[in-house]
Short mmCIF file of all heavy atoms in Angstrom, two decimals:
data_model
loop_
_atom_site.label_atom_id
_atom_site.label_comp_id
_atom_site.label_asym_id
_atom_site.label_seq_id
_atom_site.Cartn_x
_atom_site.Cartn_y
_atom_site.Cartn_z
N SER A 12 0.82 -1.22 0.00
CA SER A 12 0.00 0.00 0.00
C SER A 12 0.85 1.26 0.00
O SER A 12 0.43 2.29 -0.54
CB SER A 12 -0.92 0.01 1.23
OG SER A 12 -1.83 -1.06 1.16
N CYS A 13 2.02 1.20 0.60
CA CYS A 13 2.87 2.38 0.76
C CYS A 13 4.05 2.39 -0.21
O CYS A 13 4.94 3.25 -0.12
CB CYS A 13 3.39 2.45 2.19
SG CYS A 13 2.08 2.50 3.43
N ARG A 14 4.06 1.48 -1.16
CA ARG A 14 5.21 1.31 -2.07
C ARG A 14 5.58 2.61 -2.79
O ARG A 14 6.75 2.95 -2.90
CB ARG A 14 4.94 0.21 -3.08
CG ARG A 14 6.11 0.00 -4.03
CD ARG A 14 6.32 -1.46 -4.31
NE ARG A 14 7.28 -1.68 -5.36
CZ ARG A 14 8.59 -1.65 -5.19
NH1 ARG A 14 9.10 -1.40 -4.02
NH2 ARG A 14 9.41 -1.86 -6.19
N SER A 15 4.59 3.35 -3.28
CA SER A 15 4.92 4.58 -4.01
C SER A 15 5.63 5.58 -3.10
O SER A 15 6.55 6.28 -3.54
CB SER A 15 3.66 5.20 -4.64
OG SER A 15 2.76 5.61 -3.63
N LEU A 16 5.24 5.64 -1.84
CA LEU A 16 5.93 6.53 -0.89
C LEU A 16 7.33 6.01 -0.59
O LEU A 16 8.27 6.78 -0.42
CB LEU A 16 5.13 6.65 0.41
CG LEU A 16 3.82 7.42 0.31
CD1 LEU A 16 3.02 7.28 1.60
CD2 LEU A 16 4.07 8.87 -0.01
N GLY A 17 7.47 4.68 -0.54
CA GLY A 17 8.79 4.08 -0.32
C GLY A 17 9.74 4.40 -1.45
O GLY A 17 10.91 4.71 -1.23
N ILE A 18 9.24 4.33 -2.67
CA ILE A 18 10.08 4.65 -3.83
C ILE A 18 10.40 6.14 -3.85
O ILE A 18 11.55 6.53 -4.06
CB ILE A 18 9.39 4.20 -5.13
CG1 ILE A 18 9.37 2.67 -5.20
CG2 ILE A 18 10.10 4.79 -6.36
CD1 ILE A 18 8.54 2.10 -6.33
N ALA A 19 9.41 6.98 -3.59
CA ALA A 19 9.63 8.44 -3.59
C ALA A 19 10.65 8.86 -2.53
O ALA A 19 11.42 9.79 -2.74
CB ALA A 19 8.31 9.17 -3.36
N SER A 20 10.69 8.12 -1.41
CA SER A 20 11.61 8.48 -0.33
C SER A 20 13.01 7.90 -0.54
O SER A 20 13.94 8.26 0.17
CB SER A 20 11.07 7.97 1.01
OG SER A 20 11.14 6.55 1.07
N GLY A 21 13.15 6.99 -1.49
CA GLY A 21 14.42 6.32 -1.68
C GLY A 21 14.57 5.09 -0.81
O GLY A 21 15.58 4.40 -0.86
N PHE A 22 13.57 4.79 0.01
CA PHE A 22 13.61 3.63 0.88
C PHE A 22 13.49 2.35 0.08
O PHE A 22 14.19 1.38 0.32
CB PHE A 22 12.48 3.72 1.91
CG PHE A 22 12.54 2.68 2.98
CD1 PHE A 22 13.53 2.72 3.95
CD2 PHE A 22 11.60 1.68 3.05
CE1 PHE A 22 13.57 1.76 4.95
CE2 PHE A 22 11.63 0.73 4.04
CZ PHE A 22 12.62 0.78 5.00
N ASP A 23 12.62 2.34 -0.89
CA ASP A 23 12.45 1.22 -1.82
C ASP A 23 12.94 1.68 -3.18
O ASP A 23 13.02 2.87 -3.45
CB ASP A 23 10.97 0.83 -1.95
CG ASP A 23 10.46 0.04 -0.75
OD1 ASP A 23 11.28 -0.59 -0.05
OD2 ASP A 23 9.24 0.05 -0.52
N HIS A 24 13.23 0.73 -4.03
CA HIS A 24 13.63 1.04 -5.39
C HIS A 24 12.70 0.36 -6.37
O HIS A 24 12.19 -0.72 -6.09
CB HIS A 24 15.08 0.60 -5.66
CG HIS A 24 16.09 1.33 -4.85
ND1 HIS A 24 16.32 2.68 -4.99
CD2 HIS A 24 16.91 0.93 -3.87
CE1 HIS A 24 17.24 3.07 -4.15
NE2 HIS A 24 17.62 2.03 -3.45
N SER A 25 12.50 0.97 -7.50
CA SER A 25 11.66 0.37 -8.52
C SER A 25 12.35 -0.87 -9.08
O SER A 25 13.57 -1.02 -9.01
CB SER A 25 11.39 1.37 -9.65
OG SER A 25 12.59 1.60 -10.37
N THR A 26 11.56 -1.75 -9.65
CA THR A 26 12.11 -2.97 -10.25
C THR A 26 13.13 -2.63 -11.34
O THR A 26 14.19 -3.25 -11.42
CB THR A 26 10.97 -3.83 -10.83
OG1 THR A 26 10.05 -4.11 -9.77
CG2 THR A 26 11.49 -5.12 -11.41
N GLY A 27 12.84 -1.63 -12.16
CA GLY A 27 13.77 -1.23 -13.22
C GLY A 27 15.10 -0.77 -12.66
O GLY A 27 16.17 -1.11 -13.18
N TYR A 28 15.08 0.00 -11.59
CA TYR A 28 16.31 0.46 -10.96
C TYR A 28 17.12 -0.73 -10.46
O TYR A 28 18.33 -0.81 -10.67
CB TYR A 28 16.00 1.40 -9.79
CG TYR A 28 17.22 1.75 -8.98
CD1 TYR A 28 18.01 2.84 -9.33
CD2 TYR A 28 17.60 0.98 -7.89
CE1 TYR A 28 19.15 3.15 -8.60
CE2 TYR A 28 18.74 1.28 -7.17
CZ TYR A 28 19.50 2.37 -7.53
OH TYR A 28 20.63 2.67 -6.81
N LEU A 29 16.45 -1.67 -9.81
CA LEU A 29 17.16 -2.83 -9.26
C LEU A 29 17.77 -3.68 -10.35
O LEU A 29 18.91 -4.14 -10.23
CB LEU A 29 16.20 -3.67 -8.41
CG LEU A 29 15.73 -2.97 -7.13
CD1 LEU A 29 14.64 -3.78 -6.46
CD2 LEU A 29 16.87 -2.70 -6.20
N GLN A 30 17.05 -3.88 -11.45
CA GLN A 30 17.60 -4.66 -12.55
C GLN A 30 18.84 -3.99 -13.13
O GLN A 30 19.84 -4.64 -13.42
CB GLN A 30 16.54 -4.88 -13.63
CG GLN A 30 15.45 -5.82 -13.19
CD GLN A 30 14.29 -5.86 -14.17
OE1 GLN A 30 14.12 -4.99 -15.02
NE2 GLN A 30 13.46 -6.90 -14.04
N LYS A 31 18.77 -2.68 -13.30
CA LYS A 31 19.92 -1.94 -13.82
C LYS A 31 21.11 -2.06 -12.87
O LYS A 31 22.24 -2.28 -13.29
CB LYS A 31 19.54 -0.47 -14.02
CG LYS A 31 20.70 0.39 -14.50
CD LYS A 31 20.29 1.84 -14.64
CE LYS A 31 21.50 2.70 -14.99
NZ LYS A 31 21.18 4.11 -14.96
N HIS A 32 20.83 -1.94 -11.58
CA HIS A 32 21.90 -2.02 -10.59
C HIS A 32 22.56 -3.40 -10.60
O HIS A 32 23.79 -3.51 -10.52
CB HIS A 32 21.37 -1.68 -9.20
CG HIS A 32 22.42 -1.78 -8.15
ND1 HIS A 32 23.50 -0.93 -8.09
CD2 HIS A 32 22.59 -2.67 -7.16
CE1 HIS A 32 24.26 -1.28 -7.08
NE2 HIS A 32 23.73 -2.34 -6.50
N VAL A 33 21.77 -4.46 -10.68
CA VAL A 33 22.34 -5.81 -10.71
C VAL A 33 23.23 -5.97 -11.94
O VAL A 33 24.33 -6.54 -11.86
CB VAL A 33 21.24 -6.89 -10.66
CG1 VAL A 33 21.79 -8.28 -10.96
CG2 VAL A 33 20.56 -6.89 -9.28
N GLN A 34 22.79 -5.45 -13.08
CA GLN A 34 23.62 -5.52 -14.29
C GLN A 34 24.94 -4.77 -14.11
O GLN A 34 25.99 -5.21 -14.56
CB GLN A 34 22.85 -4.98 -15.51
CG GLN A 34 21.71 -5.88 -15.95
CD GLN A 34 22.19 -7.29 -16.27
OE1 GLN A 34 23.16 -7.48 -17.00
NE2 GLN A 34 21.52 -8.28 -15.72
N GLN A 35 24.89 -3.63 -13.43
CA GLN A 35 26.11 -2.87 -13.17
C GLN A 35 27.04 -3.65 -12.24
O GLN A 35 28.26 -3.67 -12.43
CB GLN A 35 25.78 -1.51 -12.55
CG GLN A 35 25.12 -0.55 -13.52
CD GLN A 35 24.61 0.70 -12.84
OE1 GLN A 35 24.21 0.69 -11.67
NE2 GLN A 35 24.62 1.80 -13.59
N GLU A 36 26.48 -4.31 -11.23
CA GLU A 36 27.28 -5.12 -10.32
C GLU A 36 27.93 -6.29 -11.04
O GLU A 36 29.08 -6.64 -10.77
CB GLU A 36 26.44 -5.62 -9.15
CG GLU A 36 26.11 -4.54 -8.15
CD GLU A 36 25.33 -5.08 -6.96
OE1 GLU A 36 24.77 -6.19 -7.05
OE2 GLU A 36 25.29 -4.38 -5.95
N ILE A 37 27.20 -6.92 -11.96
CA ILE A 37 27.76 -8.02 -12.75
C ILE A 37 28.94 -7.53 -13.57
O ILE A 37 30.01 -8.14 -13.58
CB ILE A 37 26.68 -8.67 -13.64
CG1 ILE A 37 25.67 -9.44 -12.78
CG2 ILE A 37 27.32 -9.60 -14.68
CD1 ILE A 37 24.44 -9.91 -13.53
N ALA A 38 28.76 -6.40 -14.26
CA ALA A 38 29.84 -5.84 -15.08
C ALA A 38 31.05 -5.51 -14.22
O ALA A 38 32.20 -5.77 -14.60
CB ALA A 38 29.35 -4.60 -15.83
N GLN A 39 30.81 -4.95 -13.05
CA GLN A 39 31.90 -4.60 -12.17
C GLN A 39 32.63 -5.85 -11.67
O GLN A 39 33.87 -5.90 -11.66
CB GLN A 39 31.38 -3.79 -10.99
CG GLN A 39 32.46 -3.26 -10.07
CD GLN A 39 31.89 -2.44 -8.95
OE1 GLN A 39 30.79 -2.71 -8.47
NE2 GLN A 39 32.63 -1.42 -8.54
N SER A 40 31.89 -6.88 -11.28
CA SER A 40 32.51 -8.13 -10.82
C SER A 40 33.35 -8.77 -11.92
O SER A 40 34.45 -9.26 -11.68
CB SER A 40 31.45 -9.11 -10.33
OG SER A 40 30.86 -8.66 -9.13
N GLU A 41 32.83 -8.77 -13.15
CA GLU A 41 33.58 -9.34 -14.27
C GLU A 41 34.86 -8.55 -14.54
O GLU A 41 35.91 -9.12 -14.83
CB GLU A 41 32.70 -9.41 -15.51
CG GLU A 41 31.62 -10.48 -15.38
CD GLU A 41 30.61 -10.48 -16.53
OE1 GLU A 41 30.53 -9.49 -17.29
OE2 GLU A 41 29.88 -11.50 -16.64
#
């Protein structure tokens, strides 16, 4: 119910943000 507020506050991240971040972590690890 509060997800939009969590994303707006930076407490939660959108699915797109998380996917991008995981890809960046993979590239960095490689």
Side-chain angles (χ1 to χ4, degrees):
S12 296
C13 302
R14 181 140 171 81
S15 64
L16 291 171
I18 290 171
S20 70
F22 188 70
D23 284 336
H24 295 295
S25 69
T26 303
Y28 172 88
L29 293 172
Q30 290 171 343
K31 177 182 174 188
H32 178 67
V33 169
Q34 290 303 311
Q35 290 171 329
E36 286 183 343
I37 290 170
Q39 185 178 33
S40 290
E41 289 173 344

